Amino acid sequence: MMDRVRGLRIWVLGVALLATAAIGWVVIAGPLAAGDRPPLTGQMRKFTLHEAPRPAPEGGFQDREGKRVPLGQFLGQVVLVNLWATWCAPCVEEMPSLERLQASLGGKDFTIIAVSSDRAGNKAVTPFLEKLALKLLPIYLDPDSSFTRGTGARGLPTSILIDRDGREVGRLEGAAAWDSPEAAALIRHYLAPAKPSGGPAVIKTGG
């Protein structure tokens, strides 16, 4: 009886492979590519990399004029969402390094989205930016903290890295030196052209 079952399974597998070969494609599973994992050294050792990318946080925030901005607007860019507030001492500590990161890598392929959860909105943010002489950092507002809560952040600051496909690849809780070589290496990993994934490989066999 067992031999019959085994024989039937082999026959079914054979038919499936023949059918696949007939249309010219075979799917072969491959190992995870080591290059899929970014370098996490120095300051970036605190960065928590997800084993698999997750959907980015939903919703949006406001620009400094009060206009609604959906996070999905930035699809196609690598985005570092930084959740902060003017009353948060560690946030104040890291803001200049975020400004320098934006100055060095910011552009059509990468941007920082610094989302303030200050209830007073732009009234609190403007004098703060002037005091720290921050002019390049893209600032957005979340006065009711709805976006911040939706991210599941456990405290401020929290920085969430989102790839070009709009997926959260990981996050860092607490302040960091975002102008460090380690931070630049992390961002550049996701700016680099996509490499073949370690998932199933598709090989043409003919046809």
Side-chain angles (χ1 to χ4, degrees), residues 28-167:
I28 301 176
L32 288 173
D36 288 344
R37 302 184 70 86
L40 297 175
T41 60
Q43 282 282 323
M44 294 300 105
R45 288 176 182 168
K46 298 187 294 182
F47 184 85
T48 300
L49 180 69
H50 303 322
E51 286 303 316
R54 303 174 180 176
E58 296 182 357
F61 26 81
Q62 302 173 9
D63 64 17
R64 294 179 63 190
E65 285 70 48
K67 181 181 177 181
R68 188 73 174 169
V69 180
L71 181 59
Q73 176 177 308
F74 300 90
L75 189 67
Q77 289 183 286
V78 176
V79 175
L80 183 67
V81 177
N82 178 258
L83 306 174
W84 69 285
T86 60
W87 45 260
C88 163
C91 302
V92 176
E93 175 188 339
E94 75 171 356
M95 292 297 275
S97 72
L98 286 165
E99 169 104 340
R100 289 188 286 271
L101 176 63
Q102 179 69 20
S104 63
L105 293 183
K108 65 182 181 64
D109 293 317
F110 169 73
T111 190
I112 295 172
I113 296 175
V115 182
S116 163
S117 58
D118 287 274
R119 292 184 179 180
N122 207 35
K123 291 182 179 180
V125 167
T126 295
F128 173 86
L129 298 177
E130 292 174 350
K131 181 178 180 180
L132 270 66
L134 300 176
K135 299 179 180 179
L136 300 177
L137 195 58
I139 301 293
Y140 295 88
L141 311 173
D142 184 31
D144 63 359
S145 298
S146 58
F147 177 78
T148 300
R149 286 194 302 270
T151 67
R154 299 186 295 183
L156 299 179
T158 293
S159 297
I160 302 169
L161 187 59
I162 299 172
D163 68 12
R164 295 181 189 271
D165 296 322
R167 305 173 303 174

